[in-house]
Amino acid sequence: MEIGQQAPDFSLADSDMTKVSLSDYRGNKNVVLFFYPKDDTTGCTIEALEFTDLQDEFDSLDTVVLGVSKDNCMSHATFRDKHGLSVRLLADVEGEVCEAYEVWKEIKRGEKSAMGIVRSTFIVDKDGKLRDSMIEVSHKGHARNVLKRVQGLG
């Protein structure tokens, strides 16, 4: 995927089992799409909480924040409720959106490797075009960095 091209559209259920499509926001909202490995793990919780803490600032920039993992809707609802998250969490159980955004990859840890979601974030503008991508990010402080990049959209 290249900056400036149309971001791959998708339709996924959120933690309330409501369908959410990227195209729903075209023309009126920027979209921050953050992919994370697993609900209720330490790094993913920190990242989701930091996005939640900055929700008002993203809202003031006409920007919606969507988290995507392969966890199901029930897992997302439990994760959201346990930590008081305000960001919408989307269930990509089949992994089609992860593959479209090229974040489903082989991850090596020492001698072992397994397929998994590489923590990554994409910024899509109101026209549906990819404006920024951050691949293999660290969870701590990431939301603040994303906010700065959204502020720079102009």
Side-chain angles (χ1 to χ4, degrees):
M1 292 188 350
E2 293 184 27
I3 303 300
Q5 77 180 85
Q6 284 295 124
D9 198 11
F10 59 81
S11 185
L12 295 173
D14 70 5
S15 50
D16 294 320
M17 297 186 201
T18 302
K19 283 285 186 187
V20 176
S21 298
L22 182 61
S23 58
D24 293 343
Y25 301 102
R26 194 163 296 136
N28 62 354
K29 296 274 186 193
N30 300 307
V31 177
V32 168
L33 193 59
F34 75 96
F35 290 85
Y36 64 97
K38 186 143 183 64
D39 287 343
D40 211 19
T41 56
T42 303
C44 297
T45 301
I46 290 168
E47 182 179 29
L49 283 169
E50 288 185 0
F51 274 115
T52 291
D53 289 345
L54 296 172
Q55 186 72 54
D56 289 342
E57 293 180 63
F58 282 107
D59 288 345
S60 73
L61 296 167
D62 292 329
T63 301
V64 64
V65 178
L66 305 173
V68 179
S69 79
K70 290 186 73 174
D71 296 297
N72 65 34
C73 296
M74 295 297 289
S75 176
H76 282 339
T78 301
F79 181 42
R80 176 198 62 200
D81 295 346
K82 178 179 178 182
H83 297 285
L85 303 175
S86 63
V87 294
R88 287 181 93 174
L89 303 176
L90 308 181
D92 185 24
V93 178
E94 301 298 321
E96 292 173 3
V97 178
C98 290
E99 289 192 22
Y101 281 82
E102 301 172 4
V103 300
W104 183 250
K105 296 185 177 187
E106 184 176 16
I107 299 171
K108 294 182 181 185
R109 288 192 179 99
E111 301 271 327
K112 298 181 180 182
S113 67
M115 294 301 288
I117 294 175
V118 174
R119 188 181 313 278
S120 303
T121 300
F122 300 88
I123 299 172
V124 180
D125 69 15
K126 293 177 184 180
D127 295 325
K129 292 189 175 154
L130 183 64
R131 293 291 298 273
D132 205 341
S133 64
M134 295 148 271
I135 311 299
E136 295 185 39
V137 299
S138 175
H139 57 274
K140 188 104 175 108
H142 178 60
R144 177 70 59 190
N145 182 35
V146 173
L147 180 65
K148 288 178 185 172
R149 291 178 184 220
V150 170
Q151 289 167 332
L153 286 179

